[in-house]
Amino acid sequence: MKNIKYTLLLIVCMGLGFGLNQTAEAQVTEGVFPAAGSPANPEVHASWNKYYDYQGITELTAALAEAHPNLIKRESIGKSYEGRDIWLMTVTNFNEGNADRKPAMYIDGNIHSNEIQGTEVSLYTAWYLAEMYGDNDFITQLLDEKTFYIVPTINPDGRENFFKAPNTASSPRSGVKPIDNDLDGEVNEDGYDDLNGDGSITMMRRKNPRGQFVEHPEYPELMQRVGSDQFGEYELLGYEGLDNDGDGRINEDGEGYYDPNRDWGWKWQPDYIQGGAHKYPFSLPENRAVKDFVMKHPNIAAAQSYHNSGGMILRGPGAAEDVGTYNRQDVQVYNALGEMGERLMPGYNYLIVYQDLYSVFGGELDWFYGIRGAFTFTNELWTSFEMFNETDRSRTGSYEFNKHLLFNDALVEWEPYNHPQYGEIEIGGTKKTFGRAHPGFLLEQMAHRNMAFTVYHAYHTPNLVIDEISEKDLGGGLKEVTAVITNTRMIPTHASHDLRNNISPPNYVSIDGARVEAGMIVNNRDLNQTTEQKRNPSKLEVDNVPGMGSVTVRWIISRGNNYTITVDSQKGGVVSKSN
């Protein structure tokens, strides 16, 4: 297969498509005309303008594994709190090498219950890679070289609750393990109440000549605060709900609350310092399942999690106390990847969690980097830029978007309701699907762009080649054998943080088929400066093969005209070459 330079991916993401192996004459296949960069006739027909519930995820992942048995294998890596399988798809060419020895990319989504579209990006990624394999040189080469471990949702219970129970756009954020939020000895006894029965929790308002709000003149669904020297016509009473337990409060003890993204075992802090941390690191079964899988797969060199919202490409550290963990060499790699992400996803910004957002202790992306040395991002999906391709963060901008592009489908008109505590009120406002989740017509574009960024990231996990094997006759039956090992991608075999903390074993470069008298690392080939490895010289320990860099090794051998040199790297894979 042709050795395709990755610069061609830029062409992809500028709209010219993934068709690196397409001929000039497009072919009509079974009544369709293929669009550049998309599967023309997929084995599995999936729709990307809607969201999949747990049953849909289960069926789609099974269909993909059945349709592409040489490219996708599905397994359950554990059970959720309510007993649902946490599905994982391994995506690679299983006929080309050992999947668990190839450099790997881990992907997940939907750790927060209401942050749903990360699941669709994850599913789309698996679908796209499998359906484009064999038709596109770049994707084919990628799956021959790399492995993707994809978990569409690591919070299936919370996802089901968001879909099937009445919620706001922001609830529930946690999972569904019962928590006594108001410390009254009961759990979940006073959550939201869907008073008008429409499936969403909207707002309650009451007419009040001394209120602080009026209807917006152009968008009456929108409540607009009056000036400080004025009275309005309404007061806002909060989200739909009743005082179910008679304690004088409404909606104070619903699902949760704990934060699954504060449960990871890196820089973890208890709940009184980091809200939502729950009991102890990995106290949640869903996160434990991911942790156990990752620890058994040290070939994971990069990771990606999908959240919403805000249009952000986030890297660690999550807290200022952890700044020293991310040193200069690793940050250079992060910057190169993040800056490309800004190009691939217009409207997204590459940011640092603690510096540009807020402090997070016990977060997933810090755990992947801190414990496993994997270069990791979190993308916050959905940004107001996507509405009109302009920076408009006003509330009226979103209402204009709803009016002209969604035809008011995201709103519930205000309707009267006789409330047992508040009396005559009105209920209305935005549905739970508006403001955080992508509308259908934007969902596939968002999924493709985020997939392309993650593919770019995965492509730049280590790719090792043995560039050179040379010999020199030393006389007396001795030969000097020199080999040059090159990493052709940006991510090193060992992050600097990995090297400092001995997370991964070194790379092993061995020679078989020869009697080895001495082995050494070549520090300066021109000046013949070397460092000898006296113990087991036939299997040299190389600390790191840097991104876009090389290392040189050398042996003195006394016998062996035919030998093989093998590089064995935990995150860089296995490669061999014979003389």
Side-chain angles (χ1 to χ4, degrees), residues 15 23 34 72 76 98 117 172 192 194 239 262 271-272 363 365 390 426 437 531 543:
T23 62
I72 296 180
S76 172
N98 183 339
Q117 60 265 62
Y192 296 117
D194 185 12
Y239 287 112
R262 308 295 184 267
D271 188 74
Y272 66 88
L365 85 167
E390 61 186 19
E426 294 178 5
T531 301
D543 290 337

Side-chain angles (χ1 to χ4, degrees), residues 37-74:
S38 295
N41 192 32
E43 294 290 327
V44 177
H45 291 272
S47 297
W48 303 110
N49 61 353
K50 62 184 180 183
Y51 294 94
Y52 290 92
D53 64 9
Y54 178 72
Q55 179 180 343
I57 293 168
T58 300
E59 292 174 353
L60 180 54
T61 54
L64 286 169
E66 182 179 357
H68 301 283
N70 295 326
L71 298 175
I72 296 180
K73 296 190 185 301
R74 188 190 73 161

Side-chain angles (χ1 to χ4, degrees), residues 27-38:
Q27 300 296 314
V28 176
T29 305
E30 295 187 10
V32 300
F33 187 86
S38 295

Side-chain angles (χ1 to χ4, degrees), residues 113-168:
S113 306
N114 63 316
E115 300 186 3
I116 56 176
Q117 60 265 62
T119 294
E120 275 58 45
V121 180
S122 302
L123 290 169
Y124 180 87
T125 300
W127 174 84
Y128 187 90
L129 293 173
E131 298 294 353
M132 292 295 278
Y133 185 89
D135 292 332
N136 181 281
D137 276 358
F138 173 77
I139 298 299
T140 302
Q141 180 179 332
L142 184 73
L143 293 191
D144 288 346
E145 295 178 352
K146 310 291 185 184
T147 297
F148 291 79
Y149 301 118
I150 301 176
V151 182
T153 174
I154 55 175
N155 192 348
D157 299 346
R159 183 179 181 86
E160 286 296 280
N161 182 281
F162 178 78
F163 284 165
K164 297 180 179 179
N167 280 291
T168 72

Side-chain angles (χ1 to χ4, degrees), residues 166-436:
N167 280 291
T168 72
S170 300
S171 71
R173 179 177 166 86
S174 68
V176 298
K177 183 179 179 180
I179 302 291
D180 181 10
N181 293 313
D182 54 358
L183 303 177
D184 65 353
E186 300 182 65
V187 295
N188 298 353
E189 81 284 355
D190 198 0
Y192 296 117
D193 299 284
D194 185 12
L195 302 179
N196 60 358
D198 64 357
S200 285
I201 298 298
T202 52
M203 297 296 293
M204 300 185 294
R205 73 180 186 184
R206 182 169 59 187
K207 289 187 176 180
N208 183 345
R210 294 289 189 265
Q212 295 180 310
F213 295 88
V214 295
E215 291 182 344
H216 190 279
E218 188 174 357
Y219 304 103
E221 306 88 357
L222 174 62
M223 291 285 93
Q224 179 174 281
R225 188 180 291 274
V226 298
S228 57
D229 59 345
Q230 297 175 292
F231 286 119
E233 299 174 356
Y234 291 92
E235 59 179 328
L236 291 180
L237 302 172
Y239 287 112
E240 286 179 79
L242 305 172
D243 181 10
N244 293 296
D245 55 356
D247 65 353
R249 293 182 291 172
I250 291 176
N251 301 337
E252 83 282 354
D253 195 358
E255 296 289 349
Y257 178 78
Y258 53 88
D259 190 331
N261 201 34
R262 308 295 184 267
D263 180 62
W264 299 78
W266 178 264
K267 305 294 180 180
W268 184 90
Q269 295 289 343
D271 188 74
Y272 66 88
I273 295 175
Q274 174 61 75
H278 204 37
K279 294 182 178 180
Y280 48 83
F282 297 113
S283 56
L284 302 175
E286 299 87 353
N287 292 358
R288 285 201 304 274
V290 172
K291 180 261 295 180
D292 291 344
F293 177 84
V294 171
M295 296 302 290
K296 293 174 184 176
H297 292 80
N299 58 321
I300 294 173
Q304 173 72 52
S305 63
Y306 291 113
H307 294 227
N308 79 33
S309 61
M312 292 175 269
I313 307 163
L314 296 171
R315 74 157 173 90
E321 293 87 336
D322 208 16
V323 168
T325 303
Y326 289 72
N327 59 28
R328 182 171 58 85
Q329 292 91 339
D330 292 351
V331 167
Q332 287 178 335
V333 176
Y334 271 109
N335 289 346
L337 296 169
E339 288 162 10
M340 176 58 78
E342 290 185 325
R343 297 194 64 194
L344 303 182
M345 298 175 287
Y348 282 58
N349 295 305
Y350 167 52
L351 304 172
I352 302 170
V353 175
Y354 88 93
Q355 181 175 297
D356 301 306
L357 199 58
Y358 44 68
S359 291
V360 172
F361 296 98
E364 182 182 12
L365 85 167
D366 281 330
W367 181 82
F368 265 94
Y369 177 72
I371 295 296
R372 298 308 310 145
F375 290 82
T376 307
F377 291 96
T378 288
N379 286 10
E380 296 283 354
L381 310 174
W382 177 250
T383 165
S384 59
F385 180 87
E386 295 175 84
M387 294 190 297
F388 297 107
N389 288 344
E390 61 186 19
T391 304
D392 180 2
R393 300 187 182 278
S394 67
R395 291 185 68 193
T396 55
S398 63
Y399 276 74
E400 185 181 9
F401 174 78
N402 171 65
K403 178 179 179 180
H404 295 297
L405 285 160
L406 304 183
F407 311 105
N408 283 328
D409 191 47
L411 285 178
V412 175
E413 294 185 4
W414 294 100
E415 296 178 349
Y417 182 82
N418 186 12
H419 195 281
Q421 282 87 39
Y422 293 134
E424 293 298 327
I425 65 168
E426 294 178 5
I427 298 172
T430 56
K431 297 178 182 178
K432 64 185 178 183
T433 53
F434 186 60
R436 299 181 72 101

